[in-house]
Amino acid sequence: MSTTQNLGQHDPAGDPGTPSLSSADHIALAEERSAHNYAPLPVVVAEGRGAWVTDVEGRRYLDCLAGYSAMNFGHHNPDLLAAAHRQLDRVTLTSRAFHNDRFAPWVSALADMTGKQKVLPMNTGAEAVETGIKVARKWAYEVKGVPADQATVVVAGDNFHGRTTTVVSFSSDAEARTGFGPYTPGFRSVPYGDAAALEEAVDHTTAAVLIEPVQGEAGVIVPPPDYLPRVREICDANRVLFIADEVQSGLGRTGTIRACEHFDVAPDAYLFGKALGGGILPVSAMVADEDVLGVIRPGQHGSTFGGNPLAGAVGHTVVRMLTEGPYLGNAQRLGEVLRRRLKEFVGNGVVSARSIGLWAGVDVDPALGSGKELCRRLAEHGVLVKDTHGSTIRMSPPLVISEEDLNWGLDRFGEVLEDLRR
């Protein structure tokens, strides 16, 4: 009999506790010991429940960012935690070298929910985008007949698809791009929302059009109503794949499972991430039909953690919650509250506001301060949001937020605007 069955096991009660540090201590230590790839607000979160988080000193904040939509179902969601706990007691990783009993049910449910046939699971949203690019190129060579190494992908300006070396190669954000060359070739960028420019960029080498149905990082930019239908028509006319990056816009954020539904458009492939992992672990996927994903064969793409049993258990629960739970309806109902309340601020410190579902981009009058300054002041009032470019901030509260809490947060927003105007 093996004598290693208990190897590495111990009483968790014997683990040394984390030293008790103040927020200032945590921030100073992080500044000293971590790479400065983020510039976070001076809030050190220790716990979360629903739409609220608590810092190490016990101060509570209304989370109106929700992990850039990764926390769509709120902090400490009991259904997701139960699914994760059950799986943690069984098995968490096998790699795709073997089958696991959570994989097939999950990918089947995800495919059915999106009306597609196949799923290629990965981990992060950026990996899903890289997957989409690889699949599109392979499809272009094997199916469309594009000459070897000549495939191109058309993208939109002001996009955000991640920060890998390939993705920043077609970013128009100088901060994300500068200093990371040489850049990956094969991309053509056109203005977002400009179907004529997109059509002009498509030719016999084009493998795919890769766009966000709603641009998040750019400030929650909702396209003209006819834009995505025109993209679909252009792709059909030129035998080009339409790939929708729904990493941030999908899975309930806009009040629908896919933001593309608002425009009655069905792309050839969806890229999902963030909320697919329930805020518990990174889970992403490319979802498409057999004629697209069928070009990938063993050894050509993969990930050690992609499709792991824990991801399958959590991801399957996310699918069930979206199809059976109240989350979409709540996002639709409270999205109207958000839209109506933000409209009240236009002309009173806000230049313009855009929203779709529980997702909004708010352009604050630059004379009042930067978006970063506004976020800092809102945090002092107990509300967490995130700035993007200039004086624009984004709001994306968890889909579990109550109307009372949403109005409370917007009231604080109004107070901060009034303070700045004074």
Side-chain angles (χ1 to χ4, degrees), residues 53-67:
V53 295
T54 306
D55 72 6
V56 293
E57 278 86 19
R59 293 181 289 258
R60 297 179 75 230
Y61 303 84
L62 184 65
D63 180 3
C64 287
L65 181 64

Side-chain angles (χ1 to χ4, degrees), residues 140-152 204-207:
Y141 301 134
E142 292 192 0
V143 179
K144 185 174 179 177
V146 173
D149 300 332
Q150 293 185 28
T152 58
H204 67 283
T205 68
T206 307

